[in-house]
Coordinates of all heavy atoms in Angstrom, one line a residue:
M1 N -3.6 13.0 -6.1 CA -2.3 12.5 -6.4 C -2.5 11.1 -6.9 O -3.2 10.3 -6.3 CB -1.4 12.4 -5.1 CG 0.0 12.0 -5.3 SD 1.0 12.2 -3.8 CE 1.0 10.5 -3.2
S2 N -1.9 10.8 -8.0 CA -2.1 9.4 -8.6 C -1.4 8.4 -7.8 O -0.4 8.7 -7.1 CB -1.6 9.4 -10.1 OG -0.3 9.7 -10.1
P3 N -1.8 7.1 -7.9 CA -1.2 6.1 -7.1 C 0.3 5.8 -7.5 O 0.5 5.6 -8.7 CB -2.0 4.9 -7.4 CG -2.7 5.1 -8.7 CD -2.8 6.6 -8.8
M4 N 1.2 5.9 -6.5 CA 2.6 5.6 -6.8 C 3.2 4.7 -5.8 O 3.3 5.0 -4.6 CB 3.4 6.9 -6.9 CG 3.1 7.6 -8.2 SD 4.0 9.2 -8.4 CE 3.0 10.2 -7.3
T5 N 3.5 3.5 -6.3 CA 4.1 2.5 -5.4 C 5.5 2.9 -4.9 O 6.3 3.4 -5.7 CB 4.1 1.2 -6.2 OG1 2.8 0.7 -6.3 CG2 5.0 0.1 -5.6
T6 N 5.7 2.8 -3.6 CA 7.0 3.1 -3.0 C 7.7 1.9 -2.5 O 8.9 2.0 -2.2 CB 6.8 4.1 -1.9 OG1 5.9 3.5 -0.9 CG2 6.2 5.4 -2.3
M7 N 7.1 0.7 -2.5 CA 7.7 -0.5 -2.1 C 8.3 -0.4 -0.7 O 9.4 -0.9 -0.4 CB 8.7 -1.0 -3.1 CG 8.2 -1.2 -4.5 SD 9.4 -1.5 -5.7 CE 9.6 -3.2 -5.5
S8 N 7.6 0.3 0.2 CA 8.2 0.5 1.5 C 7.4 0.0 2.7 O 7.6 0.4 3.8 CB 8.6 2.0 1.7 OG 7.6 2.8 1.2
S9 N 6.4 -0.9 2.4 CA 5.7 -1.6 3.5 C 6.6 -2.7 4.1 O 7.6 -3.1 3.6 CB 4.5 -2.3 3.0 OG 3.6 -1.4 2.4
F10 N 6.2 -3.2 5.3 CA 6.9 -4.3 5.9 C 6.8 -5.5 5.1 O 5.9 -5.6 4.2 CB 6.4 -4.5 7.3 CG 6.9 -3.5 8.3 CD1 6.0 -2.6 8.9 CD2 8.3 -3.4 8.7 CE1 6.5 -1.6 9.8 CE2 8.7 -2.4 9.5 CZ 7.8 -1.5 10.1
Y11 N 7.6 -6.6 5.4 CA 7.6 -7.8 4.6 C 6.2 -8.4 4.5 O 5.9 -9.1 3.5 CB 8.6 -8.8 5.2 CG 8.1 -9.4 6.4 CD1 7.5 -10.7 6.4 CD2 8.3 -8.8 7.7 CE1 7.0 -11.2 7.6 CE2 7.8 -9.3 8.8 CZ 7.1 -10.6 8.8 OH 6.6 -11.1 9.9
N12 N 5.4 -8.2 5.5 CA 4.1 -8.8 5.5 C 3.0 -7.9 5.0 O 1.8 -8.2 5.0 CB 3.7 -9.3 6.9 CG 3.6 -8.2 7.9 OD1 4.0 -7.0 7.6 ND2 3.1 -8.4 9.1
G13 N 3.4 -6.7 4.5 CA 2.5 -5.8 3.9 C 1.9 -4.7 4.9 O 1.1 -3.9 4.5
M14 N 2.4 -4.8 6.1 CA 1.9 -3.8 7.1 C 2.5 -2.4 6.8 O 3.6 -2.3 6.3 CB 2.4 -4.3 8.5 CG 1.5 -3.8 9.6 SD 1.8 -4.7 11.1 CE 0.5 -6.0 11.1
V15 N 1.7 -1.4 7.1 CA 2.1 0.0 6.8 C 3.4 0.3 7.7 O 3.4 0.0 8.9 CB 1.0 0.9 7.2 CG1 1.5 2.4 7.1 CG2 -0.2 0.7 6.3
S16 N 4.4 0.9 7.1 CA 5.6 1.2 7.8 C 5.6 2.8 8.1 O 4.8 3.5 7.5 CB 6.8 0.9 7.0 OG 6.9 1.8 5.9
N17 N 6.5 3.1 9.1 CA 6.6 4.6 9.4 C 7.1 5.4 8.2 O 6.7 6.5 8.0 CB 7.5 4.8 10.6 CG 6.8 4.4 11.9 OD1 5.6 4.4 11.9 ND2 7.6 4.1 12.9
D18 N 7.9 4.7 7.4 CA 8.4 5.4 6.1 C 7.2 5.8 5.3 O 7.2 6.9 4.7 CB 9.4 4.5 5.3 CG 10.7 4.4 6.0 OD1 11.0 5.2 6.9 OD2 11.5 3.5 5.6
E19 N 6.2 4.9 5.1 CA 5.1 5.2 4.3 C 4.3 6.3 4.9 O 3.8 7.2 4.2 CB 4.2 3.9 4.2 CG 4.7 3.0 3.2 CD 4.0 1.7 3.1 OE1 3.7 1.1 4.2 OE2 3.7 1.3 2.0
L20 N 4.1 6.3 6.3 CA 3.3 7.3 6.9 C 4.0 8.7 6.7 O 3.4 9.7 6.4 CB 3.2 7.1 8.4 CG 2.3 5.8 8.8 CD1 2.3 5.6 10.3 CD2 0.9 6.0 8.2
D21 N 5.4 8.7 6.8 CA 6.1 9.9 6.5 C 5.9 10.4 5.1 O 5.8 11.6 4.8 CB 7.6 9.7 6.8 CG 7.9 9.5 8.2 OD1 7.1 9.8 9.1 OD2 9.1 9.1 8.6
Y22 N 5.9 9.5 4.2 CA 5.7 9.8 2.7 C 4.4 10.5 2.5 O 4.3 11.6 1.8 CB 5.8 8.5 1.9 CG 5.5 8.7 0.4 CD1 6.5 9.0 -0.5 CD2 4.3 8.4 -0.1 CE1 6.2 9.1 -1.8 CE2 4.0 8.4 -1.4 CZ 4.9 8.8 -2.3 OH 4.6 8.9 -3.6
Y23 N 3.3 10.0 3.1 CA 2.0 10.6 2.9 C 1.8 11.8 3.7 O 1.2 12.8 3.3 CB 0.9 9.6 3.1 CG 0.8 8.5 2.0 CD1 1.3 7.2 2.2 CD2 0.3 8.8 0.8 CE1 1.4 6.3 1.2 CE2 0.3 7.9 -0.3 CZ 0.8 6.6 0.0 OH 0.9 5.7 -1.1
Q24 N 2.5 11.8 4.9 CA 2.5 13.1 5.7 C 3.0 14.2 4.9 O 2.5 15.4 5.0 CB 3.3 12.8 7.0 CG 3.6 14.0 7.8 CD 2.4 14.4 8.7 OE1 1.7 13.6 9.3 NE2 2.1 15.7 8.7
A25 N 4.1 14.0 4.2 CA 4.8 15.1 3.5 C 3.9 15.6 2.4 O 4.1 16.7 1.9 CB 6.1 14.6 2.9
R26 N 2.9 14.8 1.9 CA 2.1 15.2 0.8 C 0.7 15.6 1.2 O 0.0 16.3 0.4 CB 2.1 14.1 -0.2 CG 3.4 13.9 -0.9 CD 3.7 12.6 -1.5 NE 5.0 12.6 -2.1 CZ 6.2 12.4 -1.5 NH1 6.2 12.2 -0.1 NH2 7.3 12.4 -2.1
A27 N 0.3 15.3 2.4 CA -1.1 15.6 2.9 C -1.2 17.1 2.9 O -0.2 17.8 3.3 CB -1.3 15.0 4.3
G28 N -2.4 17.6 2.5 CA -2.6 19.1 2.5 C -2.3 19.7 1.2 O -2.6 20.9 1.0
G29 N -1.7 18.9 0.3 CA -1.5 19.4 -1.1 C -2.7 19.0 -2.0 O -3.7 19.8 -2.1
P30 N -2.7 17.8 -2.6 CA -3.8 17.4 -3.4 C -5.1 17.2 -2.6 O -5.1 16.9 -1.4 CB -3.4 16.1 -4.0 CG -2.0 15.9 -3.6 CD -1.7 16.8 -2.4
G31 N -6.3 17.4 -3.3 CA -7.6 17.2 -2.7 C -7.9 15.7 -2.5 O -8.8 15.4 -1.7
M32 N -7.2 14.9 -3.2 CA -7.4 13.4 -3.1 C -6.1 12.7 -3.3 O -5.3 13.0 -4.2 CB -8.4 13.0 -4.2 CG -8.7 11.5 -4.1 SD -10.0 11.0 -5.3 CE -9.1 10.8 -6.8
I33 N -5.8 11.7 -2.5 CA -4.6 11.0 -2.6 C -5.0 9.5 -2.7 O -5.7 8.9 -1.9 CB -3.6 11.2 -1.4 CG1 -3.1 12.6 -1.4 CG2 -2.5 10.2 -1.4 CD1 -2.2 13.0 -0.2
I34 N -4.5 8.9 -3.8 CA -4.7 7.4 -4.0 C -3.4 6.8 -3.6 O -2.3 7.2 -4.0 CB -5.0 7.1 -5.5 CG1 -6.2 7.9 -5.9 CG2 -5.3 5.6 -5.6 CD1 -6.5 7.8 -7.4
T35 N -3.5 5.7 -2.7 CA -2.3 5.1 -2.2 C -1.6 4.2 -3.3 O -2.2 3.9 -4.3 CB -2.6 4.2 -1.0 OG1 -3.4 3.1 -1.5 CG2 -3.3 4.9 0.1
A36 N -0.4 3.7 -3.0 CA 0.2 2.6 -3.7 C -0.8 1.4 -3.7 O -1.7 1.3 -2.9 CB 1.5 2.3 -3.1
V37 N -0.5 0.4 -4.6 CA -1.4 -0.7 -4.6 C -1.3 -1.5 -3.3 O -0.3 -1.6 -2.7 CB -1.1 -1.7 -5.8 CG1 -1.3 -1.0 -7.1 CG2 0.4 -2.2 -5.7
A38 N -2.5 -2.1 -2.9 CA -2.5 -3.0 -1.8 C -3.2 -4.3 -2.2 O -4.3 -4.3 -2.7 CB -3.4 -2.3 -0.7
N39 N -2.5 -5.4 -1.9 CA -3.0 -6.7 -2.4 C -4.2 -7.1 -1.5 O -4.2 -7.0 -0.3 CB -2.0 -7.8 -2.4 CG -1.1 -8.0 -1.2 OD1 -0.3 -7.1 -0.9 ND2 -1.4 -9.0 -0.4
V40 N -5.2 -7.7 -2.2 CA -6.5 -8.0 -1.5 C -6.5 -9.4 -0.9 O -7.4 -9.8 -0.1 CB -7.7 -7.8 -2.4 CG1 -7.9 -6.3 -2.7 CG2 -7.6 -8.6 -3.7
S41 N -5.5 -10.2 -1.3 CA -5.4 -11.6 -0.7 C -3.9 -11.9 -0.7 O -3.1 -11.3 -1.5 CB -6.2 -12.6 -1.5 OG -5.7 -12.7 -2.8
D42 N -3.5 -12.8 0.2 CA -2.1 -13.1 0.3 C -1.5 -13.6 -1.0 O -0.3 -13.2 -1.3 CB -1.9 -14.1 1.4 CG -2.1 -13.5 2.8 OD1 -1.8 -12.3 2.9 OD2 -2.5 -14.2 3.7
N43 N -2.2 -14.4 -1.8 CA -1.7 -14.8 -3.0 C -1.7 -13.8 -4.2 O -1.4 -14.1 -5.3 CB -2.3 -16.2 -3.5 CG -3.8 -16.0 -3.8 OD1 -4.3 -14.9 -3.8 ND2 -4.4 -17.2 -4.0
G44 N -2.2 -12.6 -3.8 CA -2.2 -11.5 -4.8 C -1.1 -10.6 -4.7 O -1.0 -9.6 -5.4
K45 N -0.1 -10.9 -3.8 CA 1.1 -10.0 -3.7 C 1.9 -10.1 -4.9 O 2.2 -11.2 -5.4 CB 1.8 -10.4 -2.4 CG 3.0 -9.6 -2.1 CD 3.7 -10.0 -0.8 CE 5.0 -9.3 -0.5 NZ 5.5 -9.6 0.8
G46 N 2.4 -8.9 -5.4 CA 3.2 -9.0 -6.7 C 4.6 -8.6 -6.5 O 5.4 -8.9 -7.4
F47 N 5.0 -8.0 -5.4 CA 6.4 -7.5 -5.2 C 6.6 -7.2 -3.7 O 5.7 -7.0 -3.0 CB 6.7 -6.3 -6.1 CG 5.7 -5.2 -5.9 CD1 5.8 -4.2 -4.9 CD2 4.6 -5.1 -6.8 CE1 4.9 -3.2 -4.7 CE2 3.7 -4.0 -6.6 CZ 3.8 -3.1 -5.6
E48 N 7.9 -7.3 -3.4 CA 8.3 -7.0 -2.0 C 8.0 -5.5 -1.6 O 8.1 -4.6 -2.5 CB 9.8 -7.3 -1.8 CG 10.2 -8.7 -2.0 CD 9.5 -9.7 -1.0 OE1 9.0 -9.3 0.0 OE2 9.5 -10.9 -1.4
G49 N 7.6 -5.3 -0.4 CA 7.3 -3.9 0.1 C 5.9 -3.4 -0.3 O 5.6 -2.3 -0.1
E50 N 5.1 -4.4 -0.8 CA 3.7 -4.0 -1.2 C 2.8 -3.9 0.0 O 2.9 -4.7 0.9 CB 3.2 -5.0 -2.2 CG 1.9 -4.7 -2.8 CD 1.5 -5.8 -3.8 OE1 2.3 -6.2 -4.6 OE2 0.4 -6.3 -3.7
L51 N 1.9 -2.9 -0.1 CA 0.9 -2.8 1.0 C 0.0 -4.0 0.9 O -0.3 -4.5 -0.2 CB 0.1 -1.6 0.7 CG 0.4 -0.2 1.4 CD1 -0.5 0.8 0.8 CD2 0.3 -0.3 2.9
S52 N -0.5 -4.4 2.1 CA -1.5 -5.5 2.1 C -2.8 -5.0 2.7 O -2.8 -4.2 3.7 CB -1.0 -6.7 2.9 OG -2.0 -7.6 3.1
A53 N -3.9 -5.4 2.1 CA -5.3 -5.2 2.7 C -5.9 -6.6 2.8 O -7.1 -6.8 2.7 CB -6.1 -4.3 1.9
A54 N -5.1 -7.6 3.0 CA -5.5 -9.0 2.9 C -6.1 -9.6 4.2 O -6.7 -10.7 4.2 CB -4.4 -9.9 2.3
S55 N -5.8 -8.9 5.3 CA -6.3 -9.5 6.5 C -6.7 -8.4 7.5 O -6.2 -7.2 7.4 CB -5.3 -10.5 7.2 OG -4.2 -9.7 7.7
D56 N -7.4 -8.7 8.6 CA -7.8 -7.7 9.6 C -6.6 -7.2 10.3 O -6.7 -6.1 10.9 CB -8.8 -8.3 10.5 CG -10.2 -8.5 9.9 OD1 -10.4 -8.1 8.7 OD2 -11.1 -9.1 10.5
D57 N -5.5 -8.0 10.4 CA -4.3 -7.5 11.1 C -3.8 -6.2 10.5 O -3.1 -5.4 11.1 CB -3.1 -8.5 10.9 CG -3.4 -9.8 11.4 OD1 -4.4 -9.9 12.2 OD2 -2.7 -10.8 11.2
M58 N -4.2 -5.9 9.2 CA -3.7 -4.7 8.5 C -4.5 -3.5 8.9 O -4.0 -2.4 8.5 CB -3.7 -5.0 7.0 CG -2.9 -6.2 6.6 SD -1.1 -6.0 7.1 CE -0.7 -7.7 7.2
I59 N -5.6 -3.7 9.5 CA -6.5 -2.5 9.7 C -5.9 -1.4 10.5 O -6.0 -0.2 10.1 CB -7.9 -3.0 10.2 CG1 -8.6 -3.8 9.2 CG2 -8.8 -1.8 10.7 CD1 -9.9 -4.5 9.6
P60 N -5.2 -1.7 11.6 CA -4.7 -0.6 12.4 C -3.7 0.3 11.6 O -3.8 1.5 11.7 CB -4.0 -1.3 13.6 CG -4.7 -2.6 13.7 CD -5.1 -3.0 12.3
G61 N -2.9 -0.3 10.8 CA -1.9 0.4 10.0 C -2.6 1.2 8.9 O -2.3 2.4 8.7
L62 N -3.6 0.6 8.3 CA -4.3 1.2 7.2 C -5.2 2.4 7.8 O -5.3 3.4 7.1 CB -5.2 0.2 6.5 CG -4.4 -0.8 5.7 CD1 -5.4 -1.9 5.1 CD2 -3.7 -0.2 4.5
T63 N -5.6 2.2 9.0 CA -6.4 3.3 9.6 C -5.5 4.5 9.9 O -5.9 5.7 9.6 CB -7.0 2.8 11.0 OG1 -7.8 1.7 10.7 CG2 -7.8 3.9 11.7
K64 N -4.3 4.3 10.3 CA -3.3 5.4 10.5 C -3.0 6.0 9.2 O -2.8 7.2 9.1 CB -2.0 4.8 11.1 CG -1.9 4.7 12.6 CD -0.5 4.5 13.0 CE -0.4 3.6 14.2 NZ 0.8 3.1 14.5
L65 N -2.8 5.2 8.2 CA -2.5 5.7 6.8 C -3.6 6.7 6.3 O -3.4 7.8 5.9 CB -2.3 4.5 5.9 CG -2.0 4.8 4.4 CD1 -0.8 5.6 4.3 CD2 -1.9 3.5 3.6
A66 N -4.9 6.2 6.5 CA -6.0 7.0 6.1 C -6.1 8.3 6.9 O -6.3 9.4 6.3 CB -7.3 6.2 6.3
A67 N -5.8 8.3 8.2 CA -5.9 9.5 9.0 C -4.8 10.4 8.6 O -5.0 11.7 8.6 CB -5.7 9.1 10.5
T68 N -3.6 9.9 8.3 CA -2.5 10.8 7.8 C -2.9 11.5 6.6 O -2.7 12.7 6.4 CB -1.2 9.9 7.6 OG1 -0.9 9.3 8.8 CG2 -0.1 10.8 7.1
I69 N -3.5 10.8 5.6 CA -3.9 11.4 4.3 C -5.0 12.5 4.5 O -5.0 13.5 3.9 CB -4.3 10.4 3.3 CG1 -3.1 9.5 2.9 CG2 -4.9 11.0 2.1 CD1 -3.5 8.3 2.1
K70 N -5.9 12.1 5.4 CA -7.1 12.9 5.6 C -7.0 14.1 6.5 O -7.9 14.9 6.7 CB -8.3 12.1 6.0 CG -8.7 11.0 5.0 CD -10.1 10.5 5.3 CE -10.2 9.6 6.5 NZ -11.4 8.9 6.7
Q71 N -5.8 14.3 7.1 CA -5.7 15.3 8.2 C -6.1 16.7 7.7 O -6.5 17.5 8.5 CB -4.3 15.3 8.8 CG -3.2 15.6 7.9 CD -1.8 15.4 8.5 OE1 -1.5 16.0 9.5 NE2 -1.1 14.5 7.9
D72 N -5.8 17.1 6.5 CA -6.1 18.4 6.0 C -7.3 18.3 5.0 O -7.3 19.1 4.0 CB -4.9 19.1 5.4 CG -3.9 19.5 6.4 OD1 -4.4 20.1 7.5 OD2 -2.7 19.3 6.3
S73 N -8.2 17.4 5.2 CA -9.4 17.3 4.5 C -9.3 16.6 3.1 O -10.3 16.6 2.3 CB -10.1 18.6 4.3 OG -10.3 19.2 5.5
A74 N -8.1 16.1 2.8 CA -8.0 15.3 1.5 C -8.8 14.0 1.6 O -9.0 13.5 2.7 CB -6.6 15.0 1.2
K75 N -9.3 13.6 0.4 CA -9.9 12.2 0.4 C -8.8 11.2 0.3 O -7.8 11.4 -0.4 CB -10.8 12.1 -0.9 CG -11.9 13.1 -1.0 CD -13.0 12.8 0.0 CE -14.2 13.8 -0.1 NZ -15.0 13.8 1.1
A76 N -9.0 10.1 1.0 CA -8.0 9.0 1.0 C -8.6 7.8 0.3 O -9.7 7.3 0.6 CB -7.7 8.6 2.4
I77 N -7.9 7.3 -0.8 CA -8.4 6.1 -1.5 C -7.3 5.1 -1.4 O -6.1 5.4 -1.8 CB -8.6 6.5 -3.0 CG1 -9.5 7.7 -3.2 CG2 -9.1 5.3 -3.8 CD1 -10.9 7.6 -3.6
L78 N -7.7 3.9 -1.1 CA -6.7 2.8 -1.1 C -6.9 2.0 -2.4 O -8.0 1.6 -2.8 CB -7.1 1.8 0.1 CG -6.1 0.6 0.2 CD1 -4.8 1.0 0.9 CD2 -6.8 -0.5 1.1
Q79 N -5.8 1.9 -3.1 CA -5.9 1.3 -4.4 C -5.7 -0.2 -4.2 O -4.6 -0.7 -3.8 CB -4.8 1.8 -5.4 CG -5.0 1.1 -6.8 CD -4.0 1.6 -7.8 OE1 -2.8 1.6 -7.5 NE2 -4.4 1.8 -9.0
I80 N -6.8 -1.0 -4.5 CA -6.7 -2.4 -4.3 C -6.2 -3.1 -5.5 O -6.4 -2.7 -6.7 CB -8.1 -3.0 -3.8 CG1 -9.2 -2.7 -4.8 CG2 -8.4 -2.5 -2.4 CD1 -10.5 -3.4 -4.4
F81 N -5.6 -4.3 -5.3 CA -4.8 -4.9 -6.4 C -4.7 -6.4 -6.1 O -4.6 -6.9 -5.0 CB -3.4 -4.2 -6.3 CG -2.3 -4.8 -7.1 CD1 -2.2 -4.5 -8.5 CD2 -1.4 -5.6 -6.5 CE1 -1.1 -5.0 -9.2 CE2 -0.3 -6.1 -7.3 CZ -0.2 -5.8 -8.6
H82 N -4.6 -7.2 -7.2 CA -4.2 -8.6 -7.2 C -3.3 -8.9 -8.3 O -3.6 -8.5 -9.5 CB -5.4 -9.5 -7.3 CG -5.2 -10.9 -7.0 ND1 -4.4 -11.7 -7.8 CD2 -5.5 -11.7 -5.9 CE1 -4.4 -13.0 -7.3 NE2 -5.0 -12.9 -6.1
A83 N -2.1 -9.4 -8.1 CA -1.1 -9.5 -9.1 C -1.4 -10.7 -10.1 O -0.8 -10.7 -11.2 CB 0.3 -9.7 -8.5
G84 N -2.3 -11.6 -9.7 CA -2.6 -12.7 -10.6 C -1.4 -13.5 -11.1 O -0.5 -13.7 -10.3
R85 N -1.3 -13.8 -12.4 CA -0.2 -14.6 -12.9 C 1.1 -13.8 -13.0 O 2.1 -14.4 -13.3 CB -0.6 -15.2 -14.3 CG -0.7 -14.1 -15.4 CD -1.1 -14.8 -16.7 NE -1.2 -13.8 -17.7 CZ -0.2 -13.3 -18.5 NH1 1.0 -13.9 -18.3 NH2 -0.3 -12.4 -19.4
K86 N 1.1 -12.5 -12.7 CA 2.3 -11.7 -12.7 C 3.1 -11.9 -11.4 O 4.2 -11.3 -11.2 CB 2.0 -10.3 -13.0 CG 1.3 -10.0 -14.3 CD 2.1 -10.5 -15.4 CE 3.0 -9.4 -16.0 NZ 3.7 -9.8 -17.2
S87 N 2.5 -12.6 -10.4 CA 3.3 -12.8 -9.2 C 4.2 -14.0 -9.4 O 4.3 -14.5 -10.5 CB 2.3 -13.1 -8.0 OG 3.0 -13.1 -6.8
N88 N 5.0 -14.3 -8.4 CA 5.9 -15.5 -8.5 C 6.2 -16.2 -7.2 O 5.8 -15.6 -6.1 CB 7.2 -15.0 -9.2 CG 7.9 -14.0 -8.3 OD1 8.4 -14.3 -7.2 ND2 8.0 -12.7 -8.8
H89 N 6.8 -17.3 -7.2 CA 7.0 -18.2 -6.0 C 7.9 -17.5 -5.0 O 7.7 -17.7 -3.8 CB 7.6 -19.5 -6.4 CG 6.7 -20.4 -7.2 ND1 5.7 -21.1 -6.6 CD2 6.6 -20.7 -8.5 CE1 5.0 -21.7 -7.5 NE2 5.5 -21.5 -8.7
Q90 N 8.8 -16.7 -5.5 CA 9.7 -16.0 -4.5 C 8.9 -15.0 -3.7 O 9.0 -15.0 -2.4 CB 10.8 -15.3 -5.3 CG 12.1 -15.3 -4.6 CD 13.2 -14.7 -5.5 OE1 13.0 -14.4 -6.7 NE2 14.4 -14.6 -5.0
V91 N 8.2 -14.2 -4.3 CA 7.4 -13.2 -3.6 C 6.3 -13.9 -2.7 O 6.0 -13.4 -1.6 CB 6.7 -12.2 -4.6 CG1 5.6 -11.4 -3.9 CG2 7.7 -11.4 -5.3
L92 N 5.8 -15.0 -3.2 CA 4.8 -15.7 -2.4 C 5.3 -16.7 -1.4 O 4.6 -17.5 -0.9 CB 3.8 -16.4 -3.4 CG 3.0 -15.4 -4.3 CD1 2.0 -16.2 -5.2 CD2 2.2 -14.4 -3.5
R93 N 6.6 -16.7 -1.2 CA 7.3 -17.6 -0.3 C 7.0 -19.0 -0.6 O 6.7 -19.8 0.3 CB 6.9 -17.2 1.2 CG 7.0 -15.8 1.6 CD 8.5 -15.3 1.8 NE 8.6 -14.1 2.4 CZ 8.5 -12.9 1.8 NH1 8.3 -12.8 0.5 NH2 8.7 -11.8 2.4
G94 N 7.1 -19.4 -1.8 CA 7.0 -20.8 -2.2 C 5.6 -21.3 -2.5 O 5.4 -22.4 -2.8
E95 N 4.6 -20.4 -2.3 CA 3.2 -20.9 -2.5 C 2.9 -20.9 -4.0 O 3.4 -20.1 -4.8 CB 2.3 -19.9 -1.8 CG 2.5 -20.0 -0.3 CD 1.3 -19.9 0.5 OE1 0.2 -19.9 0.0 OE2 1.5 -19.7 1.7
Ligands
FMN101 C1 7.1 5.4 -9.2 C2 5.7 5.2 -9.7 C3 4.9 4.3 -9.1 C4 3.6 4.0 -9.6 N1 2.7 3.2 -9.0 C5 1.5 3.0 -9.4 C6 0.6 2.2 -8.7 O1 0.9 1.6 -7.6 N2 -0.7 2.0 -9.2 C7 -1.1 2.7 -10.4 O2 -2.2 2.5 -10.8 N3 -0.3 3.5 -11.0 C8 1.0 3.7 -10.6 N4 1.8 4.5 -11.2 C9 1.3 5.3 -12.4 C10 0.9 6.6 -12.0 O3 -0.2 6.6 -11.0 C11 0.4 7.5 -13.2 O4 -0.7 6.9 -13.7 C12 1.5 7.6 -14.2 O5 2.6 8.1 -13.6 C13 1.0 8.5 -15.4 O6 0.6 9.7 -14.9 P1 0.0 10.8 -15.9 O7 -1.2 10.1 -16.6 O8 -0.4 11.9 -15.0 O9 1.1 11.2 -16.8 C14 3.1 4.8 -10.8 C15 4.0 5.7 -11.4 C16 5.2 5.9 -10.9 C17 6.1 7.0 -11.5

């Protein structure tokens, strides 16, 4: 399954139950699922509701996400991302 952003993470990029439900509904179909983009650093966030892989705090949620995708033997790929100059002050809370 190609990566498709759903903009449904928490404000800080933590995985939400809505996201787990979204991947749960698709697990067992494709042999490989690539997630929505996940920013690799806090200043790389490009939009609200984006997944984050920017800190260790995100690991428990990302672990649940991986387990959800892999439950029926699919490969789970986290798509990493940095918005660069396409981000803005509003999304970065003034930074
Ligand atoms: C709602 C939506 C969200 C998408 N989000 C991402 C994304 O986060 N990362 C990405 O690389 N591509 C994203 N894409 C692009 C898709 O992964 C895919 O490349 C595109 O739909 C073209 O698919 P096709 O080459 O099979 O026609 C998104 C597409 C859609 C429709």
Side-chain angles (χ1 to χ4, degrees):
M1 186 172 103
S2 64
M4 282 179 283
T5 286
T6 57
M7 301 172 84
S8 37
S9 301
F10 286 112
Y11 74 95
N12 63 352
M14 206 166 263
V15 174
S16 68
N17 284 337
D18 285 346
E19 280 173 314
L20 294 178
D21 290 347
Y22 173 85
Y23 289 104
Q24 169 76 47
R26 289 156 180 83
M32 181 175 85
I33 293 179
I34 307 175
T35 68
V37 294
N39 52 286
V40 291
S41 64
D42 287 331
N43 65 7
K45 181 175 175 175
F47 50 86
E48 298 299 342
E50 187 179 311
L51 269 174
S52 170
S55 71
D56 288 353
D57 299 348
M58 303 301 154
I59 291 174
L62 293 171
T63 303
K64 272 193 213 165
L65 180 59
T68 301
I69 292 172
K70 294 198 293 188
Q71 61 187 302
D72 286 317
S73 308
K75 299 286 182 202
I77 310 255
L78 183 75
Q79 186 181 41
I80 56 173
F81 170 82
H82 190 290
R85 68 184 179 85
K86 300 301 267 186
S87 191
N88 62 67
H89 291 284
Q90 215 172 355
V91 168
L92 298 180
R93 310 285 192 277
E95 299 216 9

